[in-house]
Amino acid sequence: MERDGERKQSPIEHLAAFIVDKRKAFYLLYIGLAIFCVFSSGWVQVNDALTDYLPEETETRRGLTVMDEEFTTFGTNRIMVDNIPFARAEELSEKLADIPGVKSVEFDGTDDHYKDGAALFSVTYDGEAADQVSLDALAQVRETLSGYDLYMTGDTGSDDSASLDAEMQVVMVIAVVIILLVLLFTSQTYMEIPVLLATFGMAALLNKGTNFLFGEISFVSNSVAVVLQLALAIDYAIILCHRYTEERAHLDAREATITALSKAIPEIAGSSLTTLSGLGAMCFMQFRIGYDLGLVLMKAIVLSLLSVFTLMPGLLMSFSSLIDRTHHRSFVPKISAWGRLAVKTRFIMPPIFAVLLVAGFFFSNRCPYVFGMSTLSTFTQNETQIAQQKVDDTFGPVNTIAILVPSGDYEKEGRLLRDLEAMPDVESALGLANVDAMDGYVLTDRLTPRQFAELTDLDIEVARLLYASYAVDEESYGRVVGGVDSYSVPLIDMFLFVYDLIEGGYVTLDDDMTETLEDLHTQLTDAQLQLKGEHYSRLVLQLALPEESEETFEFLGTLHSAAERYYDDCLVVGNSTSDYDLSSSFSNDNLLISILTIVFVILVLVFTFKSSGLPVLLILVIQGSVWMNFSFPYLMKENLFFLSYLVVSSIQMGANIDYAIVIANRYMELKQVMPLKEAVVESLNEAFPTIITSGTILASAGVLIGFLSSNPAIASIGVCLGRGTIISIFLVMGILPQILLLGDIIIEKTAFTLKKRLPIQTHSGSMRLSGHVRGYVSGMVDADFSGTVYGTINAAVEAGSIHQDAPPELPADLNGKEEDDDEA
């Protein structure tokens, strides 16, 4: 039964009390989870290939699947040794070719391999790029070339993931230092900082340790998730900390923690919904990297919320005495002067913003998006990028394209290869149908028994016997009956058949021919593994075109037309086709993400503010910041990686809208108790600590990622995120106040529940109050009041009245206090 004077607790207060009272159980739970996550964080598989996230129906994805299933792609490296004489380069070429695990080394005196004192060795290994035999051979290659001016590129031995992890660790360390400085500046007690860091550290560990649930995540998600989680979610912990400090001023530690948590849960949950909405919109991208990053970051936000709601209250309670003893004065200045300036410029700044909004829309729609990384540069470059740039500058870049056509018809392949070689934009074309074999024959030339006998110095009767055996093996019995002299067989097929007979002991050749056949068999086997599959043949082209350009994209259509003259089905695969497929899906992804993000955020705002007009005003400001952000690449004539726009526009809309919500919330509350202009000034004062804390952390995280990451995709996301956050802060602090002031009538007219704003009454001196008063009476009052006030009232009277009395003589103790105040 409820006792007199005891208020019944709400369900959320019951939950808060349970969390606080059972804090030791939560400590044990989190310690157990932390230990588990330390081990499980090593279980997750990281995918370094963006092409794996292309939609299944794209040509690139289908082509890569076929190549993985039917072909072997041997590991390669382009190795440049600078400042070396040609004779010495020839000696090194021979040494490299003798290394176990090295299949071949291409080097000659042409400009393709020796230029301006630099030698370029094209090394191919016995295994694929990730095979141990290739990696062991590469290690010996490095040892052989140690001491030389060396630049190495290629797919073998390249560990971009490890390099990126190392860079992100540096970013994380610097980010933590910046966060400490920001928190020291904006905190109210020193001891709350360790509580904040412990809460976030646990949330970050939980997120990293549970990524294994997805089985595999992209290198993008793996590298930036922790830093973005820190930037996006730490303000949840800051909100609870500030609530606790406010309640602790008049309640004991336990009650203050319970009350703070019960008030913070709805506020933080509401704030997180906009961020989750923006991230959720990313999951609908056709390019599945958005789905991957969206899921990882949404999980990060949810785990951050759980840590703030279930771990942090216990920490606040446990360290309450230390928090009480480490209070310090606020270092965050009042910005009333800025607020007054905002009021004075309310007829100037909105028109300027309107012009910037239109210009931002115009310029951002002309942003020079790119879909590969060949044209992108980063502020920080790793060893691989430096080597790639050096090799490309000296010998030119390589753009390799593969064409997959149905196998089985060597004549068609030969004709197609000749057509391709005749194209001016094709530097070379390689397929089984143009690989030289012996004496001017190519591997796919069809030879009769007499021609084969002449080529191999076999007796004609032996050659006929071999051809008859081949016909029987192929079940072409008519050839045996009708005579085999006119029977022609592709050279590669006959050589492989003869080799199998020799291996089985059915045929014996002289030693010279056996040795020749042994060497030729290795070449034939390698050629088959690389160029002939069960259902497809692979033609490999080197293009004299950049990886990504309009001319290259048009030429892909030319390649399709050439292949379709001979085949009904063909696949063109390479970095250029990957870029083309990404460009094709970008417009749909861009439109979808923009619409979904705005719709999701508007729905959250409508339910938050119970108004249809205010959400539109807030969205207008943040969408304006997105357009302005992506105008910079156009104005600076710098290419922008398309993924940066899709990711950052979602995060910027979902996360930066919180800054606008903070100011709008304060304004909607304060305008009930004071004039609109004063409400704007006070709203900026109250919102500034929260915005400067969260905004500085997010902007710093973005800038750090942009300047310290060598991966173009990651660096581009960081630069855009940092720049976009700074623009958002400027707009919500410098434009939104004027828009709220001028658009107040729109806000009032579009409110779902029309509540007339009570007139503000201002009195000074002695007054007798009777009724419910809400406002400032030498401090904020929101209570049923009956009595006399000496001082100034600036408040709305919801019931009752205010009567002005004649100034009475003040009591002696009050007179004494005023004298003390004057002296102070």
Side-chain angles (χ1 to χ4, degrees):
M1 185 175 178
E2 186 178 328
R3 295 192 298 268
D4 292 340
E6 186 178 284
R7 184 179 62 84
K8 184 178 180 180
Q9 285 188 324
S10 66
I12 198 168
E13 289 173 323
H14 275 297
L15 176 62
F18 174 80
I19 293 171
V20 172
D21 293 339
K22 301 298 181 183
R23 58 188 178 278
K24 292 182 179 179
F26 282 105
Y27 291 162
L28 290 175
L29 173 63
Y30 276 102
I31 290 172
L33 290 173
I35 295 172
F36 172 78
C37 288
V38 167
F39 293 99
S40 64
S41 59
W43 300 348
V44 66
Q45 300 296 315
V46 179
N47 190 332
D48 294 327
L50 282 177
T51 51
D52 286 351
Y53 295 91
L54 285 168
E56 291 295 330
E57 65 274 10
T58 59
E59 182 178 29
T60 301
R61 183 66 263 149
R62 289 188 294 127
L64 289 173
T65 300
V66 169
M67 290 201 296
D68 288 341
E69 293 174 351
E70 298 199 12
F71 301 97
T72 297
T73 302
F74 293 112
T76 59
N77 283 117
R78 296 176 80 206
I79 303 173
M80 189 183 99
V81 178
D82 205 1
N83 304 312
I84 184 174
F86 180 76
R88 182 58 181 152
E90 282 187 312
E91 294 176 11
L92 285 178
S93 174
E94 294 174 1
K95 285 186 177 181
L96 295 178
D98 291 337
I99 293 175
V102 172
K103 183 178 295 296
S104 64
V105 177
E106 291 183 27
F107 178 76
D108 54 41
T110 65
D111 285 347
D112 291 337
H113 290 280
Y114 190 83
K115 182 190 295 183
D116 300 329
L120 181 66
F121 306 106
S122 298
V123 180
T124 303
Y125 302 99
D126 286 336
E128 296 189 338
D131 291 348
Q132 193 60 46
V133 64
S134 301
L135 298 177
D136 291 342
L138 175 60
Q140 292 190 48
V141 168
R142 288 183 182 275
E143 184 177 347
T144 302
L145 298 177
S146 62
Y148 290 93
D149 193 359
L150 185 67
Y151 300 92
M152 186 174 296
T153 69
D155 54 357
T156 306
S158 177
D159 193 354
D160 293 336
S161 179
S163 174
L164 191 57
D165 284 343
E167 292 167 356
M168 287 302 106
Q169 289 175 13
V170 175
V171 170
M172 192 65 193
V173 170
I174 300 176
V176 169
V177 172
I178 291 175
I179 288 169
L180 281 172
L181 295 175
V182 172
L183 293 179
L184 282 172
F185 178 72
T186 60
S187 66
Q188 300 179 43
T189 71
Y190 292 117
M191 190 57 204
E192 73 182 38
I193 297 175
V195 172
L196 289 169
L197 294 180
T199 302
F200 177 78
M202 180 60 70
L205 180 59
L206 291 179
N207 190 51
K208 191 170 182 63
T210 53
N211 281 336
F212 77 94
L213 297 173
F214 299 130
E216 180 181 82
I217 63 173
S218 69
F219 73 95
V220 177
S221 302
N222 186 61
S223 57
V224 302
V226 173
V227 180
L228 290 183
Q229 180 184 8
L230 171 64
L232 292 172
I234 198 168
D235 53 332
Y236 305 152
I238 293 172
I239 290 173
L240 179 57
C241 243
H242 288 176
R243 282 288 187 182
Y244 170 79
T245 304
E246 292 172 5
E247 301 298 333
R248 187 70 179 94
H250 57 274
L251 294 173
D252 62 41
R254 177 181 178 276
E255 292 301 319
T257 307
I258 293 172
T259 304
L261 181 58
S262 63
K263 291 181 178 180
I265 286 177
E267 182 179 354
I268 295 172
S271 175
S272 68
L273 283 177
T274 54
T275 303
L276 289 171
S277 297
L279 298 175
M282 289 168 53
C283 295
F284 291 90
M285 286 170 54
Q286 291 182 11
F287 186 39
R288 302 308 286 167
I289 198 79
Y291 177 81
D292 180 85
L293 183 58
L295 278 186
V296 172
L297 288 179
M298 287 174 73
K299 177 165 65 68
I301 297 299
V302 171
L303 290 174
S304 298
L305 289 173
L306 290 176
S307 298
V308 170
F309 291 157
T310 59
L311 175 62
M312 190 173 177
L315 295 176
L316 290 172
M317 179 72 184
S318 299
F319 295 102
S320 59
S321 59
L322 287 174
I323 292 174
D324 291 343
R325 291 200 297 269
T326 56
H327 272 275
H328 61 78
R329 69 180 182 84
S330 174
F331 301 118
V332 182
K334 291 288 186 180
I335 56 169
S336 300
W338 177 266
R340 288 191 291 270
L341 178 63
V343 171
K344 291 179 181 178
T345 58
R346 63 188 182 278
F347 298 113
I348 300 173
M349 295 306 294
I352 294 177
F353 172 68
V355 173
L356 292 175
L357 193 68
V358 174
F361 175 78
F362 178 82
F363 292 140
S364 63
N365 280 319
R366 283 158 179 75
C367 189
Y369 297 110
V370 293
F371 305 90
M373 300 186 191
S374 60
T375 62
L376 297 174
S377 60
T378 55
F379 295 98
T380 299
Q381 289 194 317
N382 58 34
E383 181 181 342
T384 301
Q385 289 171 313
I386 294 172
Q388 186 73 57
Q389 188 65 44
K390 184 71 173 179
V391 173
D392 288 349
D393 288 345
T394 306
F395 292 97
V398 173
N399 185 10
T400 304
I401 292 290
I403 301 179
L404 307 179
V405 296
S407 62
D409 192 331
Y410 293 135
E411 292 183 5
K412 282 185 180 180
E413 287 182 32
R415 292 199 298 272
L416 175 57
L417 282 168
R418 288 190 289 273
D419 290 349
L420 295 173
E421 287 177 316
M423 294 180 179
D425 291 323
V426 176
E427 292 183 338
S428 67
L430 175 66
L432 281 179
N434 69 352
V435 174
D436 290 333
M438 299 169 62
D439 294 348
Y441 289 112
V442 297
L443 290 179
T444 58
D445 281 343
R446 303 181 71 92
L447 273 65
T448 63
R450 182 168 296 281
Q451 291 172 315
F452 187 75
E454 293 173 354
L455 177 66
T456 58
D457 291 330
L458 284 175
D459 183 80
I460 184 60
E461 294 303 325
V462 174
R464 287 169 178 163
L465 182 59
L466 289 174
Y467 269 66
S469 299
Y470 182 87
V472 171
D473 188 66
E474 293 293 312
E475 298 182 355
S476 299
Y477 302 109
R479 294 293 185 178
V480 179
V481 175
V484 295
D485 283 343
S486 62
Y487 183 29
S488 62
V489 177
L491 185 58
I492 183 173
D493 295 340
M494 183 52 67
F495 268 132
L496 292 173
F497 177 71
V498 172
Y499 182 85
D500 289 339
L501 291 178
I502 293 173
E503 286 290 294
Y506 301 110
V507 174
T508 302
L509 301 178
D510 62 67
D511 292 341
D512 290 341
M513 191 62 209
T514 300
E515 184 178 352
T516 300
L517 194 58
E518 288 280 356
D519 293 339
L520 189 57
H521 177 263
T522 301
Q523 298 176 30
L524 295 177
T525 303
D526 289 345
Q528 273 200 320
L529 289 172
Q530 296 180 84
L531 302 174
K532 182 181 179 182
E534 183 180 357
H535 303 100
Y536 286 89
S537 291
R538 177 162 64 174
L539 314 179
V540 181
L541 313 182
Q542 301 291 341
L543 302 186
L545 292 170
E547 177 186 311
E548 182 178 1
S549 69
E550 287 300 323
E551 185 182 4
T552 304
F553 290 164
E554 289 177 6
F555 186 68
L556 295 178
T558 302
L559 292 179
H560 272 285
S561 299
E564 287 167 1
R565 285 200 295 268
Y566 302 99
Y567 300 96
D568 294 331
D569 176 36
C570 73
L571 295 170
V572 180
V573 188
N575 288 337
S576 293
T577 55
S578 171
D579 298 345
Y580 179 76
D581 285 338
L582 290 172
S583 68
S584 300
S585 66
F586 172 68
S587 57
N588 290 333
D589 280 343
N590 185 14
L591 181 62
L592 182 67
I593 293 298
S594 299
I595 292 175
L596 288 179
T597 302
I598 291 176
V599 169
F600 289 161
V601 171
I602 282 183
L603 287 175
V604 173
L605 294 179
V606 165
F607 283 104
T608 300
F609 291 104
K610 296 180 175 57
S611 167
S612 58
L614 183 56
V616 173
L617 297 178
L618 301 185
I619 289 288
L620 193 65
V621 172
I622 301 302
Q623 185 61 57
S625 72
V626 172
W627 287 336
M628 292 178 196
N629 185 18
F630 292 102
S631 296
F632 277 79
Y634 171 78
L635 297 174
M636 298 170 68
K637 301 186 184 306
E638 294 180 352
N639 289 336
L640 177 69
F641 192 50
F642 79 105
L643 186 62
S644 306
Y645 178 81
L646 295 176
V647 171
V648 174
S649 61
S650 298
I651 293 177
Q652 193 175 344
M653 177 61 74
N656 293 171
I657 194 72
D658 285 349
Y659 309 155
I661 291 174
V662 169
I663 292 180
N665 264 328
R666 298 292 194 278
Y667 172 76
M668 295 298 289
E669 291 177 2
L670 292 173
K671 77 172 188 174
Q672 299 297 326
V673 297
M674 60 179 62
L676 297 181
K677 295 178 183 179
E678 294 180 24
V680 166
V681 175
E682 192 58 32
S683 297
L684 290 174
N685 268 328
E686 292 185 9
F688 181 64
T690 301
I691 294 174
I692 200 63
T693 302
S694 179
T696 301
I697 291 172
L698 185 56
S700 300
V703 170
L704 285 172
I705 293 172
F707 279 86
L708 298 181
S709 175
S710 61
N711 183 282
I714 304 300
S716 182
I717 289 174
V719 169
C720 294
L721 183 61
R723 183 176 60 218
T725 301
I726 293 171
I727 294 172
S728 296
I729 293 173
F730 175 78
L731 291 184
V732 297
M733 295 296 295
I735 301 295
L736 181 60
Q738 294 97 323
I739 291 178
L740 290 175
L741 201 57
L742 295 180
D744 187 75
I745 187 171
I746 298 175
I747 298 171
E748 292 294 330
K749 295 292 185 182
T750 57
F752 295 159
T753 54
L754 295 175
K755 182 178 180 181
K756 185 178 180 181
R757 190 163 68 91
L758 297 171
I760 303 300
Q761 302 184 40
T762 302
H763 302 279
S764 296
S766 175
M767 292 146 285
R768 180 171 297 279
L769 278 66
S770 177
H772 187 81
V773 178
R774 184 173 187 272
Y776 286 91
V777 185
S778 295
M780 180 65 183
V781 171
D782 187 355
D784 291 326
F785 191 92
S786 180
T788 300
V789 172
Y790 302 101
T792 300
I793 291 179
N794 182 32
V797 181
E798 296 180 359
S801 59
I802 298 178
H803 301 285
Q804 185 82 44
D805 292 341
E809 185 177 339
L810 296 177
D813 59 341
L814 190 56
N815 273 323
K817 182 179 185 302
E818 288 187 347
E819 290 173 2
D820 292 340
D821 291 342
D822 292 340
E823 291 174 4

